[in-house]
Amino acid sequence: MSDTSSCGIHPSVRLALLDLDGTLYRGHQPMDGAAQFVEQLRFHHIQPVFFTNNATRSRDEAALHLRQLGFAVASSEVYSSAMAASTLLSSTFALTCGSVVAYIGQSGLREALQSSGYHPVHPRDPLWSIEKDQAAAVVVGLDMDVSYRQLAEVADVIRRTDAFLLTNADAQFPSETGLYPGNGAIGAFLQTASKRVPRIAGKPSPQFAELALRQFGVRPEEAVVVGDNLETDMACGLAAKINSFFVRTGISTTDAELSRWRQRFSENGHTLCVYDSIAQIPFLDEPSL
Ligand SMILES: [Mg+2]
């Protein structure tokens, strides 16, 4: 379902920020035609960027997962909220290379912190009780194994450092057995316990898109966002002033909500296009002279 005949990928587009879960695949099932859509992007010389709030997987793990689902992806094309959080530590909290960073999260976040030159320490690490006192900031990402006691330890560090960053604030995420609490739920626990408000690195923060675009040397007007979630993907596109495509393969939404969002985009001088799935998004031809 398209809104207007001109609602497609314009020839001036050079990069597409693609959401993963609910847009390219659902769990372990690729969406019909999604891999072909990514091939079409490459055919049109448009750089696909796999743009995800999921901080649990490293770049290599996320690329491997996508390849297993049939997408042709290089690790360097993945941009996650864990990477954005690591970058924001220097720009927002003035952390220098080598600083100790306390974190809650899985291997993806740990690796991102390490590759930005920080020394990550988790309450489960053997040297935690010594190193936590040296921590200059706290980064929190989804951690399926975190305990109450570990959260209590980290809340202490947040109160002391006053530097508190969430990779993303997603309230929930879909699993094979229903909705699970997302990293936003862990963040809310820590916010209540520490009485500190976190900064958020991932979608809907416009900085997340800006950091991804900067890495590829592309301006917002040369990019598009594609995603299935209004509150994260589309809100990020709107705030970063990027034309966006909403696909109806993920979080369900009403027509009334969609028209409100279209209105917001148009007030902002940008376009929100709506399609039933990513495979239906058309590539527009160069206008004939
Ligand atoms: Mg999604």
Side-chain angles (χ1 to χ4, degrees):
M1 181 192 75
S2 79
D3 305 323
T4 72
S5 57
S6 65
C7 225
I9 307 234
H10 196 268
S12 61
V13 170
R14 293 179 52 214
L15 182 146
L17 295 170
L18 306 174
D19 174 55
L20 305 187
D21 213 347
T23 301
L24 295 180
Y25 57 76
R26 191 180 293 118
H28 295 283
Q29 191 64 40
M31 300 293 179
D32 284 345
Q36 289 76 7
F37 178 83
V38 172
E39 281 169 27
Q40 280 293 304
L41 288 174
R42 295 193 194 281
F43 177 80
H44 287 91
H45 307 290
I46 298 168
Q47 171 68 57
V49 175
F50 301 88
F51 185 58
T52 177
N53 266 3
N54 185 337
T56 61
R57 289 191 176 110
S58 70
R59 245 180 163 181
D60 286 344
E61 287 165 347
L64 178 65
H65 183 238
L66 282 159
R67 285 198 292 272
Q68 284 167 342
L69 296 178
F71 295 92
V73 180
S75 302
S76 58
E77 294 175 319
V78 173
Y79 197 75
S80 77
S81 64
M83 295 166 63
S86 303
T87 303
L88 289 176
L89 285 175
S90 58
S91 58
T92 305
F93 299 120
L95 256 66
T96 50
C97 203
S99 297
V100 176
V101 177
Y103 80 101
I104 292 291
Q106 299 182 193
S107 60
L109 180 54
R110 189 178 185 96
E111 275 196 43
L113 291 168
Q114 278 169 337
S115 42
S116 294
Y118 298 112
H119 177 73
V121 59
H122 189 286
R124 74 169 81 89
D125 292 341
L127 292 178
W128 166 260
S129 55
I130 299 164
E131 293 183 325
K132 69 173 180 182
D133 295 333
Q134 299 155 19
V138 175
V139 183
V140 174
L142 184 69
D143 189 326
M144 310 276 277
D145 298 312
V146 73
S147 73
Y148 178 87
R149 285 184 194 284
Q150 291 170 349
L151 290 170
E153 293 270 337
V154 164
D156 252 353
V157 183
I158 294 170
R159 276 189 293 268
R160 179 177 61 74
T161 62
D162 206 11
F164 177 21
L165 186 57
L166 293 185
T167 57
N168 63 302
D170 295 31
Q172 46 196 207
F173 66 94
S175 77
E176 273 84 11
T177 52
L179 290 174
Y180 278 5
N183 192 46
I186 299 177
F189 180 103
L190 287 168
Q191 179 172 343
T192 304
S194 66
K195 299 185 178 171
R196 301 289 191 278
V197 179
R199 291 284 303 261
I200 294 158
K203 297 175 253 184
S205 164
Q207 263 191 319
F208 187 32
E210 288 155 13
L211 290 170
L213 295 190
R214 196 181 305 162
Q215 198 166 81
F216 289 88
V218 168
R219 291 170 301 163
E221 57 271 29
E222 299 171 316
V224 292
V225 170
V226 184
D228 70 303
N229 188 319
L230 290 171
E231 304 298 334
T232 55
D233 304 315
M234 299 302 106
C236 181
L238 178 68
K241 301 187 185 306
I242 301 175
N243 291 327
S244 299
F245 293 83
F246 178 78
V247 291
R248 293 172 175 269
T249 42
I251 313 263
S252 69
T253 185
T254 63
D255 287 341
E257 248 181 319
L258 283 174
S259 13
R260 275 198 299 277
W261 277 86
R262 268 198 214 101
Q263 183 66 28
R264 284 185 203 167
F265 269 82
S266 91
E267 283 165 6
N268 198 19
H270 291 80
T271 317
L272 171 64
C273 300
V274 179
Y275 285 93
D276 284 344
S277 75
I278 193 167
Q280 292 181 7
I281 299 174
F283 291 82
L284 303 179
D285 292 330
E286 202 75 62
S288 47
L289 298 171

